[in-house]
Amino acid sequence: MFIVEETIAGPEAAQIPKQRGESLLDTAVRYAEERHWDVFPGAWLETADGTQRCSCGDRGCPAPGAHPARDDWATQATGSATVARRMWSMQPTASILLPTGRTFDAIDVPESAGFLALARMERMELTLGPVTCAPDRRMHFFVLPGAAAKVPDLVRRLGWPPASLDLVALGEGSYVAAPPTRFGSRGAVQWACRPTPANRWLPDVEELISPLAYACGRDR
């Protein structure tokens, strides 16, 4: 079980558990060992002239310290706790990135819509998988693999042109940043719904798409 401490109140009275200061190495190993998620180390933050910068060297990096450090990141991702420990031992401050399209896909929505959807899902008594909230004001709902192929048709059936909603399904070839990865000085990725034994079995996107689409439609 992942250890959390204080909570932060957000829109729609949702709360985000704040993860304790566990090392990135230990956390990456936990993801591989306890959740059987593939992980790979991304970029990291470096301090220069009193300011934090992304290891990629781009002063205008849109996700400092929270993106892949290599073009071949997909082949680097591993589900082995032993390999994960070795990779983060080489660069202990590397961000923790999780490839989608393997053990899970992720539904990417704006933070405001995500909190609205969470409140609606709670009223509907839906079973959720883990959900992250990132400093770039995006939320990611973890669902069973295959969601990326289903979402466009599911959204159309609900009466929305897919391009009209700020809702994206991340599948093979994409990734999400995992807590406690930091986005430069903007803060760290946190859990809106933390991983627990109860949500080890992920929901199918068909179970969540209606409240997510509704929330994104309201958020336009």
Side-chain angles (χ1 to χ4, degrees):
M1 176 181 269
F2 292 92
I3 302 173
V4 298
E5 47 185 17
E6 64 186 290
T7 56
I8 301 174
E12 302 297 331
Q15 294 185 321
I16 305 173
K18 192 172 184 179
Q19 191 161 311
R20 280 185 186 157
E22 190 175 30
S23 75
L24 289 160
L25 183 155
D26 288 340
T27 305
V29 169
R30 276 176 173 268
Y31 291 152
E33 196 168 57
E34 298 181 10
R35 300 298 292 199
H36 304 295
W37 290 339
D38 283 6
V39 297
F40 68 97
W44 56 93
L45 296 173
E46 299 175 335
T47 302
D49 301 325
T51 60
Q52 286 188 322
R53 295 176 183 165
C54 186
S55 61
C56 71
D58 180 359
R59 289 176 177 269
C61 180
H67 62 83
R70 301 165 36 159
D71 291 337
D72 63 344
W73 61 263
T75 62
Q76 188 186 22
T78 179
S80 165
T82 300
V83 175
R85 183 175 298 278
R86 183 167 65 245
M87 290 194 294
W88 267 272
S89 294
M90 295 171 63
Q91 181 48 256
T93 59
S95 54
I96 302 174
L97 305 180
L98 311 175
T100 52
R102 299 188 183 188
T103 51
F104 64 87
D105 280 4
I107 308 304
D108 177 343
V109 299
E111 179 185 273
S112 52
F115 279 118
L116 177 61
L118 281 176
R120 193 173 179 85
M121 290 172 186
E122 183 177 351
R123 291 194 297 271
M124 296 170 69
E125 298 184 346
L126 295 179
T127 300
L128 292 176
V131 181
T132 63
C133 186
D136 62 356
R137 305 187 70 81
R138 305 294 298 185
M139 294 178 73
H140 294 98
F141 290 71
F142 290 24
V143 295
L144 288 172
K150 296 179 180 179
V151 162
D153 282 343
L154 290 173
V155 170
R156 287 191 194 94
R157 288 181 203 168
L158 292 170
W160 297 95
S164 70
L165 299 181
D166 188 1
L167 181 156
V168 180
L170 303 178
E172 187 175 358
S174 296
Y175 65 89
V176 296
T181 294
R182 296 191 65 83
F183 277 60
S185 60
R186 287 183 282 171
V189 182
Q190 299 183 58
W191 291 114
C193 292
R194 63 190 178 96
T196 67
N199 66 17
R200 182 176 295 278
W201 304 104
L202 298 176
D204 191 286
V205 67
E206 294 185 27
E207 301 171 47
L208 307 186
I209 194 64
S210 178
L212 283 170
Y214 169 81
C216 287
R218 285 277 304 271
D219 196 54
R220 292 191 304 169

